[in-house]
Structure formats: structure tokens, C-alpha cells
């Protein structure tokens, strides 16, 4: 019986790995391949590592070696395509920068007051928050920043923004079950910055590629400087790898380290994105962990205009 169970477990693991391979090759070109693509590489790596350890303990060295060989595949994908671990990003310095924070705060379930304290600690110039509490107020955030004399806060459905100076709400450019995208104009200390605040559907039954393709069309049409929010789609999704001309990922440009943002405390999906256009000079991008949400937060430092 134990041998049968081991054979069944090995077959299921092999099938799961085959599905993962299909997803890595075709990504989310169709809804079905998308489901395979959403199988997280760290999970595949973890189960094969566990299998290799068990095989060694059972003195099945052949199986252990085979498991370790297969383990190379997800590790390679994690190190080369999904994370900036094997390279050193080029960071630009020498000029005062603006700090932009985007974070899904999990509706404040783990403490809205503590979340505002965490946000204040970042001392950002602009905050874009997803899944804020229904009765959220930014008064506490303002009092935690005594250096701020002029700030604007705007609630946008389950999203909200807070920034130094004036923020113009230019309205929805897309509002449906699949996506909510709001256009904003921020009068930053370095000049006007146009922003698309994004919140995409989390339902895995919704095919992401058509949604992301339409988002790309909106980016191309409105030419925003920054696009950020909870995309609920991996950074390596097909459409997010084919951005409109002149747009780049903050993470891949000036970021590094573990790129996954959900779910805490063991994130294996990079669902929260920050993109920027040609008017923005990126300086640094960090993804930080916090016990106050099921998402990690992104911190983007940049300069408005091209640096010469």
C-alpha cells in the first residue's frame, strides 16, 4: 500500500510539473495555459526538494538525483525570468528624487492605524493604496507627517491616493467587473505627473490576457507617466512582457531581490506592478515585506524628466 501511495504521489507531482512547464512555455496565451502559468515556480521547487530529501532518507539515491535534476528547472526560472537575483540592476543617483509607494493593505484587517504608521515611516511623496477599509481616514497619516503642510487625499472605490500638493481626479478610464482604472494628475514638487491607478479582478476564472491587452491600449492612448496597483497578474504575463513602446517595469529596471508580492508571509506571486514611461527617470525600486497585509509594498524612487 505504501508503495502504491508513493507511486501515486510521484505521478501527481510529475503531472503538476508538466502543467507548470506548459505554463512557462505558453504563459497566459489562453485561459487554460494561464491556469498552468499560475502554478508558482517556488512551489514546484519546494515539492521537488522535499521529494529529494525523502528519497535520500529512504536510501533511494537514484530518485533523489532525478528529483534534484528536475529541481534545476524551477530554480533556473526563478533566478533568471522571475527575479532579478543573478544580475545587479543599474541604479541612478545624484539627484533629489520623489518617492511613490503602492500597496494593497488588505482592507486594514491587520490594523489600519498601524498601516498608517508604516506608510508614514516611508516618508513618501505619493501613496497609492488598494483594498482600503470602508471607513478609512487619512487624518492619522497627515498627523504622522508633521513636515507636510499641503496634501491631498482622494478615495477611489476600494483604492485611495494621498500625495503632497494637489492631485486632480480625471475620472475612470475603465470601470467594470474585470478592471478599475482611474486617471490622476499629480502636481508634484518636480512638475506634473500623470498616473493610472489600477485594480484588476482577482477571479482566476477570468482570462487575464484580454484584460491586460486592453490596459496596454489605455496606456498607449493616455501616455501616463506611472501605472501602478494590484494587477492580480504575474509580472511575466504575456501582455505585461509586451508593454507599449517607451514603458518599462520599475522592478526590472532598478529593482532586485525576491520579486514576489503575494501572499504574505511566503509570497510566490508577483501580482503588484509599477510601470513607468519615458518622462520618468527611475532611481530605485524596492519591494518590502510587512506583517500588516497579505501583500508586500512597492517603493519607487524617480525623477520627473530625463536626466542628462
Amino acid at each position: 500500500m505504501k508503495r502504491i501511495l508513493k507511486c501515486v504521489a510521484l505521478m501527481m507531482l510529475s503531472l503538476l510539473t508538466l502543467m507548470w512547464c506548459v505554463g512557462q512555455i505558453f504563459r497566459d496565451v489562453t485561459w487554460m495555459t494561464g491556469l498552468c502559468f499560475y502554478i508558482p515556480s517556488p512551489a514546484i521547487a519546494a515539492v521537488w526538494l522535499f521529494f529529494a530529501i525523502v528519497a535520500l532518507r529512504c536510501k533511494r539515491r537514484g530518485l533523489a538525483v532525478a528529483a534534484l535534476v528536475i529541481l534545476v528547472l524551477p530554480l533556473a526560472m526563478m533566478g533568471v525570468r522571475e527575479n532579478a537575483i543573478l544580475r545587479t540592476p543599474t541604479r541612478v543617483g545624484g539627484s533629489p528624487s520623489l518617492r511613490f509607494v503602492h500597496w494593497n493593505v488588505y482592507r486594514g484587517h491587520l490594523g489600519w492605524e498601524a498601516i498608517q504608521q508604516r506608510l508614514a515611516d516611508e516618508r513618501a511623496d505619493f501613496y497609492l493604496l488598494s483594498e482600503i477599509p470602508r471607513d478609512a481616514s487619512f487624518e492619522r497619516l497627515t498627523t504622522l507627517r508633521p513636515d507636510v503642510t499641503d496634501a491631498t487625499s482622494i478615495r477611489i472605490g476600494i483604492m485611495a491616493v494621498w500625495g503632497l500638493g494637489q492631485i486632480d481626479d480625471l475620472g475612470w478610464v475603465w470601470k467594470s467587473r474585470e478592471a478599475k482604472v482611474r486617471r490622476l494628475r499629480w502636481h508634484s514638487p518636480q512638475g506634473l505627473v500623470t498616473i493610472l491607478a489600477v485594480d484588476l479582478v482577482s477571479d482566476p476564472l477570468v482570462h487575464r490576457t484580454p484584460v491586460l491587452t486592453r490596459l496596454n491600449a489605455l496606456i498607449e492612448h493616455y501616455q501616463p507617466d506611472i501605472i501602478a496597483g494590484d494587477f492580480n497578474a504575474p509580472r511575466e504575463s504575456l501582455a505585461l512582457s509586451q508593454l507599449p513602446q517607451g514603458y518599462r517595469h520599475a522592478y526590472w529596471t532598478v529593482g532586485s531581490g525576491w520579486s514576489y508580492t503575494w501572499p504574505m508571509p511566503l509570497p510566490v506571486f508577483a501580482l503588484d506592478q509599477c510601470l513607468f514611461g519615458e518622462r520618468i527617470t527611475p532611481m530605485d525600486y524596492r519591494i518590502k515585506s510587512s506583517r500588516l497585509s497579505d501583500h508586500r509594498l512597492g517603493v519607487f524612487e524617480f525623477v520627473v524628466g530625463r536626466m542628462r
Side-chain angles (χ1 to χ4, degrees):
M1 180 61 71
K2 288 184 178 180
R3 187 172 183 179
I4 294 176
L5 290 176
K6 289 179 181 178
C7 290
V8 171
L10 180 58
M11 290 177 60
M12 292 180 64
L13 180 53
S14 299
L15 177 60
L16 184 66
T17 304
L18 178 62
M19 293 173 61
W20 173 82
C21 289
V22 169
Q24 295 302 310
I25 295 170
F26 297 102
R27 290 190 268 188
D28 48 358
V29 65
T30 68
W31 175 76
M32 187 63 72
T33 61
L35 292 181
C36 296
F37 177 59
Y38 300 147
I39 299 172
S41 300
I44 296 296
V47 293
W48 279 112
L49 178 60
F50 177 77
F51 184 87
I53 293 172
V54 171
L56 282 174
R57 289 177 63 89
C58 296
K59 299 182 179 180
R60 302 292 297 275
R61 294 177 181 175
L63 281 177
V65 170
L68 291 174
V69 170
I70 296 173
L71 175 62
V72 172
L73 292 175
L75 288 179
M77 200 61 64
M78 291 167 60
V80 175
R81 194 166 83 172
E82 298 179 4
N83 295 279
I85 293 177
L86 302 181
R87 68 177 179 83
T88 302
T90 302
R91 288 190 172 90
V92 181
S95 180
S97 62
L98 297 174
R99 177 170 285 199
F100 180 105
V101 170
H102 63 101
W103 191 16
N104 181 318
V105 296
Y106 191 41
R107 297 191 181 275
H109 290 318
L110 301 179
W112 177 237
E113 292 295 314
I115 286 170
Q116 291 193 79
Q117 178 66 65
R118 179 67 183 82
L119 291 168
D121 291 342
E122 289 297 333
R123 303 191 66 79
D125 303 292
F126 192 99
Y127 298 92
L128 167 57
L129 307 180
S130 303
E131 293 193 19
I132 62 170
R134 188 168 298 177
D135 56 347
S137 168
F138 290 93
E139 293 180 5
R140 175 67 173 158
L141 179 57
T142 301
T143 59
L144 289 170
R145 292 287 305 274
D147 57 310
V148 175
T149 57
D150 180 24
T152 303
S153 62
I154 302 173
R155 180 166 187 138
I156 312 167
I158 63 170
M159 294 187 289
V161 294
W162 186 98
L164 302 184
Q166 180 181 340
I167 303 172
D168 300 327
D169 184 357
L170 303 181
W172 296 107
V173 296
W174 187 8
K175 186 179 182 182
S176 68
R177 175 179 174 271
E178 292 79 16
K180 294 173 178 59
V181 182
R182 193 83 159 203
R183 187 166 172 243
L184 305 163
R185 182 170 53 217
W186 176 34
H187 299 258
S188 81
Q190 295 185 7
L192 291 179
V193 178
T194 55
I195 299 167
L196 288 186
V198 176
D199 185 72
L200 302 185
V201 64
S202 60
D203 186 351
L205 298 179
V206 175
H207 186 200
R208 295 295 193 277
T209 297
V211 177
L212 294 171
T213 300
R214 183 175 173 183
L215 177 62
N216 279 348
L218 291 174
I219 294 172
E220 193 166 11
H221 176 75
Y222 289 104
Q223 293 290 301
D225 296 311
I226 295 176
I227 308 97
D230 183 1
F231 282 49
N232 275 307
R235 188 173 295 112
E236 297 309 305
S237 295
L238 195 61
L240 290 178
S241 299
Q242 301 171 348
L243 299 176
Q245 185 175 358
Y247 285 90
R248 292 179 288 167
H249 288 267
Y251 174 78
W252 283 120
T253 308
V254 288
S256 62
W258 194 256
S259 73
Y260 310 115
T261 64
W262 183 89
M264 284 290 291
L266 297 173
V268 294
F269 294 101
L271 303 183
D272 303 88
Q273 316 299 347
C274 182
L275 318 174
F276 65 93
E278 293 180 325
R279 288 187 65 248
I280 299 299
T281 296
M283 300 183 71
D284 189 27
Y285 184 74
R286 300 177 186 272
I287 301 175
K288 300 183 179 183
S289 299
S290 172
R291 62 176 180 78
L292 299 172
S293 174
D294 60 339
H295 286 249
R296 300 172 77 200
L297 66 152
V299 182
F300 182 36
E301 294 188 20
F302 63 93
V303 172
V304 180
R306 297 185 181 181
M307 294 180 64
R308 297 179 180 179

